[in-house]
Amino acid sequence: TPMLQMPEPPPGSWLTKRIEQDHGLEAALDNTLIQLCEGPLLDATPVTLELPVRNVNRTVGTMLGSLVTRRYGAAGLPAGTIDLTLRGSAGQSLGAFLPAGIQIRLFGDANDYVGKGLSGGVVAVRPDEQAPFVAEENVIAGNVIGYGATGGEIYLRGIVGERFCVRNSGATAVTEGVGDHALEYMTGGTAVILGRTGRNLGAGMSGGTAYVLDLDHALVNPELVDIDVISAEQSQTLRAVLQRHFELTGSAVAEKLLANFEHEAYRFSVIMPRDYKRVLEATKLAEAEGRDVDEAVMAAARV
């Protein structure tokens, strides 16, 4: 009853909308993208675009992605149908909620929340070709990369800020160094960190797999996760991700690792939640023995 009690409005205020809000969407870069992507939106005709971007351009790709989802549903478009290259500094939430079929390559840098809610699209960020600095020693994007992502790929040639891959549940994300609290509350997907990490790595992580180069074990939060030696199967997964990272960003770190991967793979530690690992093992065993997978998973979860 108290929740439904109607309060008396203060003098000069209202309980209903009286003032229109202007969010400046008319000036959004996505309006241009939507016009240029008429073909893909109508009949999935591939298109390749190159445009400048500034840090006032936020959530680039999100309005475009919403139209793709409305037109084609959750499956989106075939990979690479909309191939967008940006040059400059992107504002917050580059590629947020981007669906399958849209690929954004940024030459420059980006602010926070790259790939927030990513839903099948691809985002790759690398320094400009003329940049004089060493990419893996410098920041390429901000905090909370891949927050709540459910699918897709994120490749970042350089270091990012704090809370990398928080609540990631299905995307593959690669970076070359992170701040504190990376992999926090991650529930699925794959994360690869090719550089130093901050503290509290893996806090609250209940799913997914992370591969970390030259890991400092003291920085991992051990409450829910184990640190494992990389297996042969995992090394093949890692190799494929590194190859993709190199193809999309030209990463010097990935190139060096791939050149002698059989040796370099053992520099990686695997961070995996204990319960998640137990469920995966139970699933694999049940499939091999022809038993009911759901029953095996439930039994493993009760241990």
Side-chain angles (χ1 to χ4, degrees):
T1 299
M3 293 285 289
L4 301 176
Q5 182 68 36
M6 183 64 71
E8 287 293 327
S13 64
W14 305 276
L15 296 180
T16 59
K17 189 186 86 169
R18 300 293 181 91
I19 301 172
E20 292 294 334
Q21 296 183 359
D22 180 10
H23 297 286
L25 294 181
E26 294 78 9
L29 180 60
D30 269 54
N31 292 314
T32 300
L33 296 179
I34 291 168
Q35 291 177 348
L36 296 173
C37 291
E38 182 178 359
L41 292 174
L42 287 176
D43 57 14
T45 303
V47 65
T48 300
L49 304 172
E50 183 167 335
L51 295 168
V53 67
R54 298 170 55 211
N55 61 7
V56 296
N57 302 129
R58 291 183 281 186
T59 63
V60 174
T62 302
M63 291 168 62
L64 173 63
S66 74
L67 293 183
V68 169
T69 301
R70 290 177 192 179
R71 174 71 175 83
Y72 298 100
L77 287 163
T81 301
I82 298 175
D83 192 335
L84 174 60
T85 297
L86 302 174
R87 295 185 179 273
S89 294
Q92 289 185 334
S93 301
L94 172 69
F97 308 103
L98 203 67
I102 304 179
Q103 177 172 281
I104 296 178
R105 283 177 284 196
L106 170 62
F107 289 79
D109 53 35
N111 277 269
D112 301 336
Y113 290 105
V114 172
K116 176 176 68 177
L118 190 72
S119 303
V122 179
V123 180
V125 185
R126 59 177 294 176
D128 184 86
E129 298 97 326
Q130 306 303 316
F133 54 81
V134 178
E136 59 268 27
E137 297 177 0
N138 288 270
V139 172
I140 192 70
N143 301 307
V144 204
I145 307 298
Y147 172 71
T150 60
E153 304 165 70
I154 304 172
Y155 300 97
L156 305 162
R157 183 180 176 182
I159 301 169
V160 301
E162 297 187 350
R163 293 194 153 89
F164 173 72
C165 277
V166 172
R167 295 188 65 202
N168 175 30
S169 65
T172 295
V174 183
T175 185
E176 299 181 352
V178 296
D180 296 340
H181 316 297
L183 318 179
E184 190 177 34
Y185 303 119
M186 185 166 151
T187 63
T190 301
V192 178
I193 302 173
L194 305 176
R196 291 187 296 178
T197 75
R199 63 187 176 86
N200 202 33
L201 191 65
M205 181 181 178
S206 61
T209 307
Y211 302 87
V212 185
L213 183 67
D214 298 331
L215 175 66
D216 181 348
H217 291 210
L219 297 174
V220 176
N221 185 320
E223 185 175 356
L224 298 179
V225 302
D226 289 328
I227 302 171
D228 296 334
V229 175
I230 192 168
S231 69
E233 182 179 354
Q234 289 169 333
S235 69
Q236 293 309 306
T237 298
L238 174 61
R239 185 174 199 158
V241 173
L242 290 177
Q243 185 64 46
R244 181 84 164 139
H245 181 53
F246 173 67
E247 291 170 357
L248 289 178
T249 70
S251 168
V253 178
E255 183 178 28
K256 183 178 179 181
L257 292 168
L258 288 166
N260 188 20
F261 184 74
E262 288 72 16
H263 173 73
E264 299 289 350
Y266 295 102
R267 294 174 57 192
F268 284 88
S269 298
V270 179
I271 298 176
M272 184 177 287
R274 294 185 197 94
D275 292 345
Y276 179 68
K277 179 169 57 176
R278 188 166 61 247
V279 167
L280 290 180
E281 291 171 349
T283 299
K284 185 179 297 185
L285 182 60
E287 289 174 344
E289 296 177 349
R291 294 185 290 110
D292 185 275
V293 171
D294 290 337
E295 290 183 1
V297 168
M298 291 302 295
R302 288 192 293 267
V303 173

